[in-house]
């Protein structure tokens, strides 16, 4: 059975592309056949996050316009068997593709035998968003615990439901455990209560993500990274396993550390 | 009680809960998709209708969209809240 999942957020910069790359790799590690589709036409980025930027010949618009066959445009990731990337066009704009064409593209990808087709949606609620969600079976909404991101996520959830994508799943990204513990950041319950959706996962803020993105190697395979662990858990939940949300309790801070903290402010 | 909390400012809500409260209010307006212009028109119409029956204090009149706990599904639903002070009743002719 194959499934098209769109990864969306409304607000830009909350981690859609990073999440797409990590979930795609994570699913491929488990032996699934995965197609990552970059639907952010004009602002192509999934290729660099994946470290595949030097291998692009054809792109999504070429496929849609019939300049090449689908198989020619799919870039095979050499590190993970069964992982493919369909890059976005960089020199075109969002109107180059219509929702109907995206639907057809998703159908063709399903016929290719992919288990999962992950679509990295552009920020915003305009044409690019409408294109990205057109062929999707379900939706994942990414947000960070900030007022602007949560507000946009709420808007996106409304628009997804208006387009028949009911019960989108939420990923809370870049949670700062230290800030939550001293009450200066909304916690998991605050965000899920406000948005009234089910939570698919929580990814802590982790510098391993920055380092991984610098190198073009998704952090999901980094065994030491907490964000990597969080992504592995999300992947398990996507394939139907029930994994509890990881605990974010920090080690109690020593007296000396607290004393240092007092003088720092 | 944390020893170090002694040094912290008292009675100031943590910014996380401030964020939550502000967001809740903003989303109430976003979700009903009601612009301040529409609300203003609604206000004028309500004044017009009520003025047929009673004299009201238009200065003190307060109409806003807030939220209330829903009885059905544990969530919150938007409500139109109106506080209209009455000055006196008009004589209504049958």
């Amino acid at each position: 059975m194959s499934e098209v999942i769109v990864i969306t957020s409304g607000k830009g910069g909350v981690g859609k592309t990073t999440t797409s790359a990590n979930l795609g790799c994570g699913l491929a590690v488990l032996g699934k056949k995965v197609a990552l589709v970059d639907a952010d036409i004009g602002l192509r980025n999934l290729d660099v996050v994946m470290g595949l930027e030097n291998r692009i010949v054809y792109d999504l618009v070429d496929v849609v316009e019939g300049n090449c066959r689908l198989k020619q445009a799919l870039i095979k990731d050499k590190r993970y068997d069964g992982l493919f990337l369909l890059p976005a066009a960089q020199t075109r704009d969002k109107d180059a593709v219509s929702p109907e064409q995206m639907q057809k593209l998703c159908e063709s990808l399903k016929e290719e035998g992919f288990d999962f087709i992950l679509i990295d949606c552009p920020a915003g609620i305009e044409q690019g968003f409408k294109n990205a969600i057109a062929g999707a079976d379900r939706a994942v909404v990414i947000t960070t615990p900030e007022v602007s991101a949560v507000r946009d996520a709420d808007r996106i959830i409304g628009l997804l439901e208006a387009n028949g994508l009911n019960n989108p799943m939420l990923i809370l990204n870049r949670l700062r455990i230290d800030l939550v513990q001293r009450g200066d950041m909304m916690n998991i319950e605050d965000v899920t209560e406000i948005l009234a959706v089910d939570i698919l996962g929580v990814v802590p803020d982790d510098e391993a993500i920055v380092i991984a993105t610098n190198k073009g190697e998704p952090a999901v395979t980094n065994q030491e990274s907490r964000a990597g662990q969080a992504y592995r858990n999300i992947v398990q939940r996507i394939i139907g396993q029930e994994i509890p949300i990881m605990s974010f309790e920090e080690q109690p801070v020593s007296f000396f550390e607290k004393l240092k903290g007092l003088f720092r402010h | 009680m944390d020893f170090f909390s002694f040094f912290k400012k008292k009675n100031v809500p943590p910014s996380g809960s401030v964020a939550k409260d502000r967001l809740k209010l903003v989303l109430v307006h976003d979700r009903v998709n009601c612009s301040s212009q529409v609300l203003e028109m609604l206000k004028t119409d309500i004044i017009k209708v009520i003025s047929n029956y009673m004299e009201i204090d238009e200065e003190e009149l307060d109409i806003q969209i807030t939220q209330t706990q829903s009885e059905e599904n544990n969530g919150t639903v938007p409500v139109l809240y109106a506080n209209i002070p009455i000055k006196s009743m008009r004589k209504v002719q049958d």
Side-chain angles (χ1 to χ4, degrees):
Chain A
M1 212 201 88
S2 77
E3 193 169 31
V4 182
I5 305 174
V6 61
I7 292 157
T8 178
S9 72
K11 188 178 179 297
V14 297
K16 284 181 295 298
T17 304
T18 308
T19 304
S20 304
N22 279 289
L23 298 188
C25 289
L27 285 164
V29 167
L30 297 181
K32 303 289 177 192
K33 196 177 173 196
V34 183
L36 279 166
V37 180
D38 190 350
D40 201 347
I41 296 164
L43 291 166
R44 162 160 98 198
N45 269 327
L46 191 50
D47 55 336
V48 271
V49 175
M50 296 283 299
L52 298 173
E53 68 275 18
N54 293 326
R55 298 183 40 207
I56 297 174
V57 182
Y58 296 109
D59 57 47
L60 189 150
V61 176
D62 287 323
V63 176
V64 162
E65 291 182 345
N67 299 335
C68 69
R69 283 175 292 113
L70 178 58
K71 273 193 175 155
Q72 289 177 294
L74 285 168
I75 301 165
K76 187 176 175 348
D77 192 308
K78 285 178 182 151
R79 298 159 294 186
Y80 311 102
D81 258 349
L83 182 62
F84 292 81
L85 170 72
L86 180 57
Q90 180 70 328
T91 52
R92 304 290 293 269
D93 64 41
K94 308 214 150 53
D95 301 324
V97 185
S98 72
E100 293 74 29
Q101 285 170 320
M102 279 301 285
Q103 252 169 351
K104 237 177 86 185
L105 179 72
C106 291
E107 287 306 318
S108 317
L109 285 165
K110 281 180 176 177
E111 284 162 19
E112 287 290 323
F114 284 103
D115 298 308
F116 289 97
I117 297 140
L118 303 184
I119 300 179
D120 182 21
C121 178
I125 52 173
E126 296 86 17
Q127 190 61 40
F129 168 75
K130 288 173 189 155
N131 287 341
I133 66 165
D137 299 313
R138 62 170 162 156
V140 170
V141 176
I142 317 281
T143 189
T144 59
E146 291 149 35
V147 283
S148 50
V150 176
R151 185 189 198 179
D152 291 359
D154 186 77
R155 184 107 167 84
I156 284 293
I157 291 165
L159 288 169
L160 288 169
E161 287 178 342
N163 284 281
L165 284 166
N166 293 317
N167 305 321
M169 302 283 280
L170 186 76
I171 293 179
L172 184 56
N173 199 12
R174 263 189 236 143
L175 191 74
R176 289 269 307 269
I177 292 104
D178 52 335
L179 287 186
V180 171
Q181 280 179 339
R182 60 168 208 243
D184 280 329
M185 182 174 263
M186 286 187 283
N187 61 30
I188 305 169
E189 289 75 32
D190 291 339
V191 177
T192 48
E193 182 199 323
I194 287 171
L195 294 176
V197 287
D198 293 326
I199 193 135
L200 180 62
V202 179
V203 183
D205 194 44
D206 187 348
E207 52 183 58
I209 294 290
V210 179
I211 296 165
T213 311
N214 287 343
K215 296 180 186 166
E217 299 163 356
V220 66
T221 50
N222 181 345
Q223 299 298 324
E224 273 104 63
S225 154
R226 297 189 86 192
Q229 181 62 52
Y231 281 126
R232 289 194 290 280
N233 289 352
I234 293 170
V235 166
Q236 292 287 343
R237 289 185 202 110
I238 288 177
I239 63 165
Q241 305 283 328
E242 282 194 25
I243 309 268
I245 299 286
M246 63 200 261
S247 162
F248 293 106
E249 290 298 311
E250 293 260 283
Q251 292 296 314
V253 187
S254 71
F255 180 82
F256 183 67
E257 285 295 318
K258 276 192 176 176
L259 208 62
K260 272 206 307 198
L262 258 188
F263 291 109
R264 207 176 289 143
H265 296 294
Chain B
M1 173 61 98
D2 189 345
F3 169 72
F4 289 98
S5 62
F6 177 75
F7 296 103
K8 288 177 187 159
K9 277 187 236 162
K10 296 252 167 77
N11 298 327
V12 180
S15 67
S17 56
V18 175
K20 189 183 177 188
D21 293 341
R22 290 177 54 223
L23 243 175
K24 276 183 165 176
L25 203 64
V26 120
L27 288 182
V28 168
H29 281 264
D30 285 0
R31 283 172 187 167
V32 290
N33 200 8
C34 179
S35 68
S36 50
Q37 208 179 356
V38 172
L39 207 59
E40 207 48 49
M41 283 156 64
L42 180 71
K43 198 167 153 181
T44 338
D45 282 357
I46 288 177
I47 292 173
K48 217 190 301 175
V49 172
I50 296 185
S51 300
N52 291 335
Y53 302 91
M54 48 190 80
E55 197 179 326
I56 56 174
D57 187 350
E58 289 185 30
E59 298 278 296
E60 293 294 306
L61 180 125
D62 178 26
I63 290 181
Q64 51 180 296
I65 289 168
T66 59
Q67 57 183 356
T68 187
Q69 217 65 34
S70 158
E71 286 174 12
E72 282 163 20
N73 50 3
N74 287 334
T76 51
V77 287
V79 284
L80 182 67
Y81 164 90
N83 187 5
I84 309 167
I86 303 165
K87 279 183 175 166
S88 64
M89 295 297 290
R90 286 190 207 281
K91 277 188 183 153
V92 184
Q93 289 175 349
D94 294 315

